[in-house]
Amino acid sequence: MKFETPAGTNPIDQLKVVGKPTDRIDGKFKTTGTAPYAYERHDVAPNQAYGYIVGSAVAKGRISSMNLADAKAAPGVLAIVSTLDHKPLPLGPQNTANLFGGAEVQHYHQAIALVVAETFEQARAAANLIRVDYARTKGKYDLEALAPTAPLEGGGSGEGSAAPAIDRVGNFDGAFASAPVKLDQQYTTPGHSHAMMEPFATIAAWDGPKLTVWTSNQMIAWAKRDVAKTLSLSPENVRVDSPYIGGGFGGKLFVRADVPLAALGAKAVGRPVKVAMQRPLIANNSTHRPATIQRIRLGATKDGRITAIAHESTSGNLPEGKPEVAVQQTKLLYAGANRMTLMKLAVMDLPEGNAMRAPGEAPGLMALEMAMDEMAEKLGMDPVEFRIVNDTQVDPEKPQRPFSQRQLVKCLRDGADRFGWSRRSAKPASVREGRWLIGMGMAAAFRNNQLTKSAARVRLDGKGMVTVETDMTDIGTGTYTIIAQTAAEMMGIGLDKVVVKLGDSDFPASAGSGGQWGANNSTAGVYAACIKLREQVGQRLGMTGDVEFADGEVRAGGRSAKLADAARNGPLTAEDFIEYGDLAKKYQQSTFAGHFVEVAVDSFTGQTRIRRMLAVCAAGRILNPKSARNQVIGGMTMGAGAALMEELAVDKRFGFFVNHDLATYEVPVHADIPHQEVVFLDEVDPISSPMKAKGVGELGICGVGAAVANAIYNATGVRVRDYPITLEKHLTRLPQVA
Amino acid sequence: MKPFTYERAKTPAEAAAIVAGRPGAKFIAGGTNLLDLMKLEIETPTHLVDVQDLKLDRIEATREGGLRIGANVTNTALASDDRVRRDYAVLTKAIVAGASGQLRNKASTAGNILQRTRCPYFYDPNQPCNKRKPGSGCAAIGGYSRQLAVIGSSDACIATFPGDMAVALRVLDATVETVNPQGGTRSISMADFHRLPGNTPQFDNTLQRGELLTSVTLPKPIGGQHFYNKVRDRASYAYALVSVAAVIQPDGTGRVAVGGVAHKPWRVEAAEAAMPQGSRAVATRLMAGAKPTADNAFKVPLVERTLGAVMHDAGMKRTAA
């Protein structure tokens, strides 16, 4: 089905099942331990051996020699796969760092060997017996030092976010120079690690030329493509299966070293091999959100209308890597006739930078929305009003292009009302409770709605059960449930009559999970397949014209039949996909939110504790308010981490992320996260898809870090522009408590 | 992890004798620190002597009016003991500020005192570390050192002692009792138990090879208000950037020990005379001679300010920060 014109009324609009806050249909499996994750799939292949990954001890250089003798002789060892025995494996198109093979080391903890043994403990013990000599070479690890000479570079993050190196509209320089009120500030964000709960993990098994990998991956079709390329296999000989995923956040968009290593290990020992990447390797072996140095300039009239807006971002990456697209939202979020965005990219020797939850917008809004707060103060305006004054209903770079829906103003106004924003003191550092300085902050959130082809297959059997099969993934987002809701709505049945099977590359290729595009596109693909199935049912039952599917029955022209009757003589199967015309060119499609945060800062120790958080979101139809809320509060939590504690600490001498485990790379725990409220505006967007939905999985993280930062400033009167806002950055400048 | 053998000792002296007589042998109690270190091969014992059968799991009143805490009393049991909560509240507050409920259920009193540093370079076997591999150098010096020591460190090591409970024990003037392989016992004050790194940072404390920690004794209660203020980036499940254990008397006198700044719980009794003059006066004396790195220079003012927060909560007037 090609979606070319805005959706009219369709069966989804009944909202009998879709739009309800249904519990997850996979929840009982997850809470009872019966949803097996990749490493736990003991039953998929017999006689599994264990692999243990060895990571490079240096960040850059060459391996001069590897002594495997002791490790090979260690108890239980079956084989050692050495990087020196392989040429560098070909890479998937969105990646830059070598996954395995060759003597060259590009980054710290690059995989250089896999030890395969009868038990995990034997493999681990043997791995520590491998002796490696390196010829270390000097690398570039200091973004701040490299930034001044970094060249201009456009590009994208690998999951669809992209921007050119320079983009100009009007005359920024002239307008900024003549603006009555100006801001020119630098903001920095550090590298972030996905730090998902489930590590990268794979079981690989060969059957002649055919390889199956049971793994943990967000994008099954990409994974199949990249496994084939990496291992020089024909794609039809590759099967990827990933029904349950314990978090990915962009880290599992791509095939990581566990996959080819498990496959090479399995080949070497002639039996299935399972590999989980050890936690201390994850931060340096895999990808991360790159650090940024951003400059924002704003020029405005005295009544707060932006006349000039410029956003520059410098990030670093390995040679051939892409920039972090931190300027992306600035092209679309606020009005202003004169505009400029610019990106620079320094070549560095740290691990590969790539997509992490809301690539571009997450760090970009941390800067832009702090700048907006600072500018509002310069103008003497309320920060909510300043944003409202500069709202735009069209793409500011292409004014003939309207937003399909844009209710940012309502998000901000409703949020301000609900949060009690009017009680905020505009004067910083003026609210105290004992030792604590109290402040409120807000920010706008923005994230694009990306459209991509997505297919599904649906089957009706003689018992009236509908089975949906698609290679779509559920990365903890609730995909199983919204797909079941979609099929139930379309076929006029209850959720108990729907079975959803996901994550298998033998199923039709879906949008996958990334860029908050999964929910809208994958359910639209199921919608398309169900439309075909409805036609088949109608034909089988001899019903034409206006056929109604409701209550397990099919009705038309005064007749009715059980849905199951249509499959009495054998199951009916329909497969289709959704693809999109040019509505995305005619209309800018985005999601919006207003974030409001209250913090308390200890005037003695400088510790920040968040007290309240509210997000009011406008993101099209909300397919399941419960799982959508879950996504938004997860994003808000991650944004709180980015504001207050998350930072990949770089050792600039040796070139690695030092805090490479979950004890030292701190993410928020329950005690950090207070009351969180999420409100969804009642919205449908008929331009997005037949579902009239958009994504929310990344909207929650967008802007929230700046809202925390702005609340800290309101509490303390000390502006910190260098994330995370750890206590030492304002400690000695805090106002005293009387 | 290297293969190891395992046995359960029957008596403290027997446990001490086994470890003393067998190179590569180590005691194991709750295992919450040792097993993690073994998985990374930072600790490579060849033989583990389990001390859980030694009946060291009781908290008993002493004739002097204090408490004797068995080495195997769990952190949870110690923190929740009514006598501890009433008379030694700083100890309860320190314990519950550390780790997680699950870890405190498993971790022992002795193990908590004996936990090793959390320096990230100690934890990364690719990096030189004089504590992990004597003579290999110290990657933390000149590296990422935000969490590390600001006082009492050496050119060989800037690691900190990471615990909370021992900081409270230090402020309470606790002593630890040990048994040696010959069955002899001795008592060591908390002041002398942990040591500064000097040129031998591989030694965290003053125990001899095979010497087994059997109990911790608290002197009779000293009254006062008890505080444990642990400063960190996240609200739970994080090691202290700085922590302050304090007991403050109604007349403004008191005791202070600081965690997160040195290779041992840091206390300078002479500084406590300045308590009535406020946090700056105390902190200046307490932190005299501090040699922070650029990354952790903030810890020096943070000690003063954290003590200031404690004094504020104690109702003492704040002096200029």
Side-chain angles (χ1 to χ4, degrees), chain A residues 118-186:
Chain A
E118 291 288 352
T119 71
F120 171 79
E121 289 76 12
Q122 289 169 332
R124 179 174 60 189
N128 279 301
L129 298 174
I130 294 177
R131 297 289 162 254
V132 186
D133 288 320
Y134 302 91
R136 196 190 286 227
T137 49
K138 246 181 105 170
K140 303 190 190 83
Y141 310 118
D142 185 348
L143 179 63
E144 196 182 350
L146 297 164
T149 55
L152 291 166
E153 179 81 37
S157 62
E159 52 64 82
S161 305
I166 301 190
D167 200 359
R168 296 179 198 274
V169 175
N171 173 9
F172 170 78
D173 290 334
F176 183 71
S178 62
V181 183
K182 288 181 227 199
L183 172 125
D184 182 353
Q185 282 294 355
Q186 178 176 294

Side-chain angles (χ1 to χ4, degrees), chain A residues 659-682:
Chain A
N659 50 344
H660 52 65
D661 60 33
L662 291 180
T664 48
Y665 183 85
E666 292 183 10
V667 298
V669 294
H670 287 296
D672 292 294
I673 300 303
H675 183 68
Q676 293 176 315
E677 195 178 347
V678 179
V679 175
F680 295 106
L681 296 187
D682 195 9

Side-chain angles (χ1 to χ4, degrees), chain B residues 15 21 46 57 65 105 129 136 168 181 198 240-241 248 255 267 275 279 288 308:
Chain B
T46 54
D57 54 358
N105 286 342
C129 171
S136 62
L241 292 165
I248 298 179
R255 304 177 181 180
R267 183 177 171 197
M275 287 286 283
S279 57

Side-chain angles (χ1 to χ4, degrees), chain A residues 190-202:
Chain A
H192 290 149
S193 183
H194 304 91
M196 60 281 174
M197 193 74 88
E198 184 202 17
F200 302 104
T202 297

Side-chain angles (χ1 to χ4, degrees), chain A residues 44-271:
Chain A
V44 292
N47 201 25
Q48 297 168 8
Y50 292 80
Y52 192 88
I53 302 173
V54 179
S56 169
V58 305
K60 190 168 168 65
R62 283 184 75 78
I63 296 170
S64 8
S65 68
M66 278 174 88
N67 184 339
L68 305 178
D70 291 349
K72 276 184 174 160
V77 171
L78 300 167
I80 297 175
V81 181
S82 161
T83 195
L84 298 179
D85 295 338
H86 292 266
K87 286 190 177 135
L89 300 181
L91 282 170
Q94 289 124 316
N95 291 113
T96 48
N98 182 17
L99 287 178
F100 190 69
E104 188 199 347
V105 174
Q106 292 177 311
H107 62 89
Y108 196 68
H109 278 170
Q110 178 177 317
I112 59 169
L114 183 81
V115 179
V116 184
E118 291 288 352
T119 71
F120 171 79
E121 289 76 12
Q122 289 169 332
R124 179 174 60 189
N128 279 301
L129 298 174
I130 294 177
R131 297 289 162 254
V132 186
D133 288 320
Y134 302 91
R136 196 190 286 227
T137 49
K138 246 181 105 170
K140 303 190 190 83
Y141 310 118
D142 185 348
L143 179 63
E144 196 182 350
L146 297 164
T149 55
L152 291 166
E153 179 81 37
S157 62
E159 52 64 82
S161 305
I166 301 190
D167 200 359
R168 296 179 198 274
V169 175
N171 173 9
F172 170 78
D173 290 334
F176 183 71
S178 62
V181 183
K182 288 181 227 199
L183 172 125
D184 182 353
Q185 282 294 355
Q186 178 176 294
Y187 305 87
T188 57
T189 63
H192 290 149
S193 183
H194 304 91
M196 60 281 174
M197 193 74 88
E198 184 202 17
F200 302 104
T202 297
I203 298 170
W206 293 89
D207 179 8
K210 289 181 184 291
L211 171 68
T212 301
V213 292
W214 295 270
T215 188
S216 184
N217 190 288
Q218 299 173 225
M219 299 292 297
I220 300 305
W222 291 2
K224 178 171 171 156
R225 175 198 68 194
D226 291 355
V227 170
K229 183 167 183 200
T230 301
L231 297 169
S232 303
L233 302 172
S234 157
E236 61 268 21
N237 283 334
V238 175
R239 178 174 165 231
V240 177
D241 190 33
S242 184
Y244 297 107
I245 294 142
F249 309 118
K252 294 176 183 167
L253 285 171
F254 315 116
V255 165
R256 301 287 81 205
D258 57 304
V259 181
L261 285 174
L264 294 173
K267 182 138 265 185
V269 299
R271 58 191 262 204

